[in-house]
Amino acid sequence: MTLNRRHFLTLLGATTGAASCGVLGFSMQSWAIGLSPDSVAQGSETFTLPPLPYDYNALEPYIDAETMQFHHDKHHAAYVKNLNAAIDQYPELKVMTAEELLRQIATVPQEIRQTVINNGGGHVNHSMFWEIMTPNGGGTPPDGIGTAIRQTFGSFEDFQKAFNEAGAKRFGSGWAWLVMTPDGKLQITSTANQDSPLMQGLYPIMGNDVWEHAYYLKYRNKRDEYLNAWWNVVNWETVNQRYEQAMRQ
Ligand code: MN3
């Protein structure tokens, strides 16, 4: 966040009572969802909602603006809020990243473990999701991830087919993933709900959200159409960076 909390408060004060907030009113609305006045005042929250790296309508026509706004400002914001609430009484957990919480989920106290799985997973999964999409996306993957995909799955098209199948077959809510195993192999998998591959020692290189909230406003019950359209917004540059990062680890 480029805007710190104190600055935000100043901004709030400066615009309170203004007859028209215009553009500011809109951006303040999305802030207000992620940061309740209490948490702003205390300045104590551990995890924060990352801003969308593009406009709500940037991924149209493949993902509509209303879906993006609700998905980011409501759904992702709620995961962040609930994660912060869950760890509030556990100072030893506040020094860990959300990824570390998931990798070491067995060490998280039983009373909040499922809440951390759901909301820590939701936070980490969606933070990745926004980054691996872009308005100038799609096409074929660059060398690096592209070569590894062809070596593992035969061709890019075969990979897309298998990835879409993982998303289509996930019953109910969840994610389709391309992950790296600890021995450096690529694998397609899927998880239920907000379960993160990190909990299984797998590194999520890319994932597609197949919860109905990700596509229902535009695609209704046609998840397969959403899965096909999604390739047009994949940010291969970022996916390749995640692949190279996984290879180094
Ligand atoms: Mn989602």
Side-chain angles (χ1 to χ4, degrees):
M1 296 268 175
T2 48
L3 220 63
N4 67 31
R5 291 180 196 109
R6 207 157 275 124
H7 186 181
F8 176 61
L9 278 179
T10 312
L11 212 60
L12 261 183
T15 54
T16 299
S20 163
C21 289
V23 175
L24 252 187
F26 189 71
S27 63
M28 276 167 58
Q29 186 191 6
S30 58
W31 267 89
I33 294 159
L35 299 171
S36 70
D38 279 354
S39 64
V40 170
Q42 290 164 7
S44 62
E45 87 230 302
T46 306
F47 298 105
T48 53
L49 179 66
L52 261 193
Y54 33 73
D55 291 337
Y56 296 124
N57 65 3
L59 304 183
E60 290 193 350
Y62 307 108
I63 304 181
D64 59 286
E66 192 181 13
T67 295
M68 290 300 291
Q69 188 177 355
F70 273 79
H71 203 171
H72 177 269
D73 294 4
K74 303 283 188 183
H75 291 273
H76 190 172
Y79 298 128
V80 172
K81 186 170 174 242
N82 294 337
L83 177 61
N84 282 323
I87 62 163
D88 191 46
Q89 302 303 316
Y90 300 88
E92 72 277 16
L93 300 182
K94 292 187 183 183
V95 297
M96 295 168 72
T97 66
E99 288 85 353
E100 284 168 344
L101 287 172
L102 296 167
R103 282 198 182 98
Q104 302 167 43
I105 194 66
T107 67
V108 171
Q110 177 75 44
E111 314 87 82
I112 60 163
R113 195 175 300 155
Q114 191 58 49
T115 309
V116 170
I117 289 171
N118 294 344
N119 295 284
H123 178 38
V124 170
N125 293 343
H126 287 86
S127 297
M128 170 218 67
F129 191 53
W130 314 131
E131 294 292 334
I132 63 155
M133 298 192 292
T134 174
N136 308 309
T140 51
D143 292 349
I145 184 63
T147 307
I149 282 175
R150 284 190 295 276
Q151 283 171 353
T152 309
F153 303 102
S155 69
F156 178 53
E157 291 70 27
D158 287 336
F159 159 70
Q160 286 180 299
K161 194 164 166 252
F163 188 93
N164 281 0
E165 225 170 77
K169 282 185 179 162
R170 165 52 53 193
F171 185 75
S173 300
W175 290 75
W177 298 103
L178 174 67
V179 298
M180 186 176 285
T181 63
D183 56 351
K185 295 200 169 77
L186 292 185
Q187 200 176 80
I188 288 169
T189 180
S190 88
T191 59
N193 304 314
Q194 294 297 350
D195 289 5
S196 166
L198 293 170
M199 297 192 302
Q200 305 162 40
L202 302 168
Y203 183 82
I205 291 171
M206 66 190 289
N208 193 1
D209 188 343
V210 300
W211 283 56
E212 284 184 346
H213 68 225
Y215 63 87
Y216 209 87
L217 292 180
K218 181 177 175 71
Y219 295 93
R220 303 299 172 183
N221 59 322
K222 294 174 182 134
R223 188 190 284 183
D224 54 341
E225 282 185 16
Y226 161 72
L227 286 165
N228 281 324
W230 184 72
W231 296 103
N232 291 292
V233 296
V234 171
N235 185 345
W236 284 113
E237 202 181 310
T238 307
V239 172
N240 193 46
Q241 282 166 7
R242 293 178 67 86
Y243 167 75
E244 285 172 353
Q245 193 182 337
M247 287 295 282
R248 282 194 295 271
Q249 282 169 2

